[in-house]
Amino acid sequence: MILHELIDYDVLRVIWWLLLGVLLIGFAMTDGFDMGVGALLPFVGRTDVERRVAINTVGPVWEGNQVWFILGGGAIFAAWPPLYAVSFSGFYLAMFLILAALIVRPVAFKYRSKRDGTAWRTTWDWALFAGGAVPALVFGVAVGNVLQGVPFELTPELFSLYPGGALAKLFGLLNPFALLCGAVSLSMLVTHGAAWLALKTEGVVAARARAIGSVTGLLTPAGFVLAGLWLSVGIEGYAFAGEVATDGPSNPLYNDVVRTASWMTAYAERPWIAIAPLLGLAGMGMAWLGMRAGREVSTLLWSKLGIFGAISTVGLTMFPFLLPSSRHPNSSLSVWDSSSSHLTLFTMLVATVIFMPLILLYTAWVYRVLWGKVTEADVADNSHSY
């Protein structure tokens, strides 16, 4: 028997769907609080020293946290090539906006303290704000559009076609439901950043972070519930019309996809997936209570649970679809028809089993070394601080 045939093709596809979810959740849990701190920076720090304290809570770890984003993009490229090609084509300007914000962020970290001028530092502070708020918002907008279906179709040669020009595509993404999802994403990561600042700082910076986090921590579950209600009554879902070969070729056009009344039919078919939104709401609610009570470690952990539940809700609700097509439902990409080959998925899995534990161990070691609060005295006394 050939080695890669030890694991069935359909099982490998599900494993890589799960791993993609793990990478996206890992990115939101780690780089999410970096983005949240950036979005909070102009509001929690009113003096240069206070802002430096906030920046130095994430300065040593943001680069490592962003590895999850790179791994997620790499996993989509290697494990789900049609998903990578179609999504990056349709969301080109939105992706460019995210990448521009993520490029500006490291530049702001490195250059902010190179000069003492107020205007200079304020400019880079707002760059850090954009580097945090813009990706957090746009990621949510993208999820909202995926849930509604993206207006593309595949030719018989599997080329993707989108109507309209680049600007029309960008503004087409800014519909009411997608903007609501973007607001939920932004408020969720701002709350996560506030929980991080409450853990890593003290005094007025921590107090302001808790005050803002108490507001966004209440808005997040409210928006999450509203989005769920909207999804259940106002947005059609997708389903396969007949049997699908789960180990068949990666060609979406081989399958027949139809629109359904709602995505919520998934909960009738698989009631156990309701655990995801319940965990999300529990995490969000407990994070809000922890913020109000002044708890630190537990608040951050509850916030992570809320993020896990929210992202898992989207993935489990849509399964097995990855990118549905509102223009031509049969072009929709799913777990069963848009993956790489059996051998590719197996080879990637072997590499993941070897290297993922090393990444997790290194990350744990870094956070262990950097454990503790960042104070104004630390910033003033350390010549290597931001």
Side-chain angles (χ1 to χ4, degrees), residues 153-165:
E153 65 176 300
L154 298 176
T155 68
E157 296 78 22
L158 298 184
F159 291 112
S160 60
L161 300 176
Y162 283 82

Side-chain angles (χ1 to χ4, degrees), residues 215-237:
V215 176
T216 58
L218 198 59
L219 293 175
T220 303
F224 184 66
V225 170
L226 178 58
L229 293 173
W230 193 336
L231 195 67
S232 65
V233 299
I235 296 175
E236 292 181 328

